[in-house]
Amino acid sequence: MSQFPACKHKKHKATGPRRDGLRWLASEPYRLFFFSGAVWSIIGVALWPLYYAQQIGFYPSFVHARIMIEAFGTAFVVGFLGTAGPRMATAPKLTPLELFWLFALHQACGISHLTLHLAWGDMFFIALLGSLLLCLVIRVVKFRKEAPPPQLLLALTGLICGITGASLLLSSATLIDPQHLRLANLLLYQGLLLPPVLGIGAFVFPRMLGGDFGDPKTAAQSRTKLMRAIVAAVLLVGSFVLEACGQIIPGYALRALVAAGYLLLEVRWKTSQSGSLTTGLLWALILGWLGLALAGFFYTQHVSVEHLLYIGGFGMLMLIVGSRVLFGHSGDLDGFFVKSKWVRFLIFLGVLAAITRATPAWVPSTTVSHHIYAALTWALLALFWLLWHRRRFVKRDEED
């Protein structure tokens, strides 16, 4: 049975997850990072109900945002790229030492933010992304047997955006300059995840629709895909600069057009095999795109509107793509395409959390209640997702 992503090495029989010990775990770091990221997302949203119940003495805005992006979102980026990146280039997998280093930085980042040491959290975050980038670049340059998919360029763009945004936020000069501050926030909160969603999505969404991975079949296709990835990366970064310079609607519009145009060109949106998670994928893409398209027109409330992107887009996509990885690597790929009331309920929770959190943009009187409702809804979704996949986090495909 094929798995995710397709491994081009010769396959051999395995006796179970303990056979290679830490080497096995290091070769599939998503098992640690996906689990940890989902837990951190529960911690991040729990700050709001705790604050309104007067159980914590600080307003959680910045801490919540950093945990959700740097501890939750980054965990899925690191878990995915740490697993798929070496395989895409048919290069050596991560070593146990590399896994320990990356995971320690990930935990240090989350704990620092939770304890209100934002600068330390950002520094650990920068070290985490820089270490991952170095691991991947060394493998691609020195060890690769085949060129990685061109779409990987967008994933690397996300890492660079995240590092740049967090680095800018460490500067006191950035904090007193509205343009630089807005650019730094855009690079961190949207630039970290949006390019990888497009690049990884162009590779994996076709498989999630029942087809093959979106890898190029010829040299000409590789060149075309590489050029599209370069153009998309440049335009996305350009949209952040436009918005930071005060061109708000053009910046958001460019971002929305690039996202839609790139995925429409790169992905064949015909489902040859579908299930409840496939439907969830489409819902996540629609909500995420609406978050990009509408925020510029409601800029005074853009933070609320953008939660259509953060929760409905990024959050749901990470759980859905994470599910695809978990099913594929546990030897139950067909399970991803199951039609299930349980899965539909999980998708409903994600959609409900996104819409609930965005509602205060149009009904400001609901801000407090909807902060609480959206937080509890997401916490339930993340908890149920962890329980649903609990066995798949430790189950190994016997053919891997």
Side-chain angles (χ1 to χ4, degrees):
M1 182 176 293
S2 62
Q3 65 174 46
F4 176 77
C7 183
K8 299 172 185 175
H9 296 300
K10 183 179 179 180
K11 293 186 176 182
H12 54 275
K13 196 78 171 177
T15 59
R18 296 182 181 273
R19 179 172 177 261
D20 296 315
L22 287 177
R23 286 199 303 275
W24 165 72
L25 189 59
S27 72
E28 298 180 348
Y30 76 87
R31 297 181 186 274
L32 274 179
F33 280 95
F34 286 6
F35 185 91
S36 176
V39 171
W40 275 111
S41 79
I42 296 173
I43 296 171
V45 297
L47 295 174
W48 288 111
L50 289 173
Y51 170 75
Y52 290 120
Q54 300 182 342
Q55 297 301 306
I56 56 176
F58 60 91
Y59 190 70
S61 177
F62 292 116
V63 176
H64 162 78
R66 289 292 214 286
I67 287 177
M68 297 306 286
I69 291 296
E70 296 187 5
F72 168 43
T74 302
F76 278 75
V77 172
V78 174
F80 184 95
L81 292 179
T83 302
R87 292 168 183 254
M88 288 177 178
T90 54
K93 300 170 185 177
L94 295 186
T95 65
L97 181 60
E98 289 171 323
L99 174 66
F100 174 81
W101 173 250
L102 293 174
F103 194 69
L105 290 173
H106 162 59
Q107 295 301 320
C109 171
I111 292 170
S112 296
H113 287 311
L114 189 60
T115 55
L116 306 185
H117 296 91
L118 299 187
W120 277 103
D122 287 342
M123 286 188 285
F124 285 125
F125 167 75
I126 292 168
L128 171 60
L129 291 192
S131 298
L132 175 66
L133 188 60
L134 184 62
C135 289
L136 294 178
V137 169
I138 288 175
R139 281 165 170 76
V140 169
V141 172
K142 187 174 181 181
F143 297 109
R144 68 178 174 88
K145 298 178 182 178
E146 297 182 12
Q151 302 96 319
L152 190 61
L153 174 69
L154 280 165
L156 300 182
T157 299
L159 299 183
I160 294 170
C161 284
I163 291 171
T164 304
S167 299
L168 288 173
L169 289 172
L170 288 173
S171 168
S172 57
T174 298
L175 302 180
I176 61 175
D177 186 318
Q179 286 189 352
H180 288 174
L181 180 59
R182 184 59 186 153
L183 178 60
N185 285 330
L186 285 167
L187 289 172
L188 176 59
Y189 295 123
Q190 293 190 28
L192 171 68
L193 296 178
L194 186 56
V197 163
L198 299 182
I200 293 172
F203 182 77
V204 73
F205 288 170
R207 187 64 170 168
M208 295 167 69
L209 297 171
D212 296 324
F213 288 115
D215 50 347
K217 303 298 188 295
T218 65
Q221 287 184 0
S222 292
R223 289 192 295 270
T224 299
K225 288 180 178 292
L226 179 60
M227 184 56 61
R228 287 176 183 167
I230 293 172
V231 170
V234 171
L235 290 179
L236 286 176
V237 174
S239 76
F240 299 143
V241 175
L242 273 178
E243 184 180 338
C245 291
Q247 301 299 313
I248 294 168
I249 292 181
Y252 275 100
L254 178 59
R255 206 139 62 240
L257 288 172
V258 170
Y262 183 80
L263 289 180
L264 287 173
L265 286 172
E266 285 290 320
V267 179
R268 185 172 178 264
W269 293 99
K270 183 178 180 181
T271 57
S272 58
Q273 189 176 4
S274 64
S276 300
L277 284 169
T278 308
T279 303
L281 169 65
L282 299 178
W283 270 106
L285 291 171
I286 291 170
L287 286 172
W289 189 83
L290 286 175
L292 287 174
L294 296 178
F297 295 100
F298 301 94
Y299 196 68
T300 56
Q301 295 291 333
H302 71 91
V303 173
S304 291
V305 179
E306 285 172 352
H307 275 77
L308 292 173
L309 170 66
Y310 295 135
I311 300 174
F314 296 153
M316 286 180 59
L317 281 173
M318 284 187 285
L319 297 187
I320 293 168
V321 173
S323 296
R324 173 61 180 81
V325 176
L326 285 160
F327 275 114
H329 280 270
S330 63
D332 183 24
L333 186 56
D334 290 339
F336 179 82
F337 297 101
V338 68
K339 294 183 179 180
S340 162
K341 291 182 180 179
W342 169 250
V343 176
R344 287 195 289 270
F345 174 65
L346 295 183
I347 299 302
F348 167 76
L349 288 178
V351 173
L352 179 62
I355 294 175
T356 300
R357 181 59 185 86
T359 299
W362 299 281
V363 189
S365 61
T366 65
T367 298
V368 173
S369 61
H370 281 50
H371 273 186
I372 297 172
Y373 299 153
L376 294 177
T377 303
W378 178 267
L380 280 176
L381 168 58
L383 177 60
F384 289 156
W385 185 81
L386 286 169
L387 292 174
W388 180 39
H389 287 301
R390 64 190 181 280
R391 291 189 178 89
R392 282 179 281 274
F393 278 109
V394 296
K395 183 180 178 182
R396 183 179 182 182
D397 185 352
E398 292 185 355
E399 293 186 350
D400 187 15

